[in-house]
Amino acid sequence: MTPYTEAVGGASLTYRFTLPADAPSKVKVHVVVKSTLDFLNVGGHEYTVSLDGSEPQVVNFNKTLVDRQPYMYSEYYPAVARRIVEKVVELPVGNAAVHELTLSPRHPGIVFEKIVVDCGGYQPQYLFGEESPLLRNEK
């Protein structure tokens, strides 16, 4: 197991999935991570999100997760109570039949909890609803 302070050097998660035929040209991706504090003192931990090889968007999920004003009551305490931080990124959808969503940590210690791809109509719910079925292509 790698210590949580080691460099992430090219680490990434890639998910392949299909979208409905009537999917919009952009989707909202909800990324849920563990409510980790900025233990490296780098101004917040970051990860990138990209869809179908598009330009990765950088997300800093804990820059304002501090126990001082003005973030203490609006962000810190709610995140500590929920133990998660959710960020939403809007990404363009490519023309591929099978899409690839890639998440890459830019700092160590990031724990990805859940990813939701919203094609429209997503309703916030406790623990983000049911998991999608897993279909494997056996060779």
Side-chain angles (χ1 to χ4, degrees), residues 31-45:
V31 180
V32 180
V33 297
K34 206 59 150 163
S35 59
T36 307
L37 298 176
D38 181 13
F39 60 88
L40 296 174
N41 293 320
V42 293
H45 296 166

Side-chain angles (χ1 to χ4, degrees), residues 16-134:
R16 290 179 184 89
F17 60 95
T18 58
L19 290 173
D22 62 346
S25 61
K26 290 187 177 186
V27 294
K28 290 182 181 176
V29 178
H30 300 253
V31 180
V32 180
V33 297
K34 206 59 150 163
S35 59
T36 307
L37 298 176
D38 181 13
F39 60 88
L40 296 174
N41 293 320
V42 293
H45 296 166
E46 298 176 335
Y47 58 86
T48 64
V49 183
S50 68
L51 183 60
D52 298 332
S54 64
E55 183 69 29
Q57 289 193 24
V58 177
V59 177
N60 185 322
F61 76 93
N62 63 354
K63 180 178 182 176
T64 58
L65 196 57
V66 292
D67 62 347
R68 61 180 178 272
Q69 293 296 350
Y71 308 108
M72 185 168 37
Y73 295 107
S74 64
E75 296 191 36
Y76 178 75
Y77 288 151
V80 169
R82 287 189 319 264
R83 298 184 182 183
I84 60 165
V85 175
E86 176 190 357
K87 296 293 182 178
V88 180
V89 178
E90 191 171 51
L91 298 170
V93 175
N95 293 327
V98 177
H99 301 279
E100 287 192 354
L101 178 72
T102 303
L103 296 104
S104 301
R106 295 179 74 184
H107 296 100
I110 299 174
V111 178
F112 294 99
E113 292 276 334
K114 191 159 195 169
I115 295 98
V116 176
V117 178
D118 177 14
C119 296
Y122 171 73
Q123 297 292 320
Q125 51 193 298
Y126 183 68
L127 297 180
F128 296 92
E130 296 297 318
E131 192 173 303
S132 298
L134 171 65

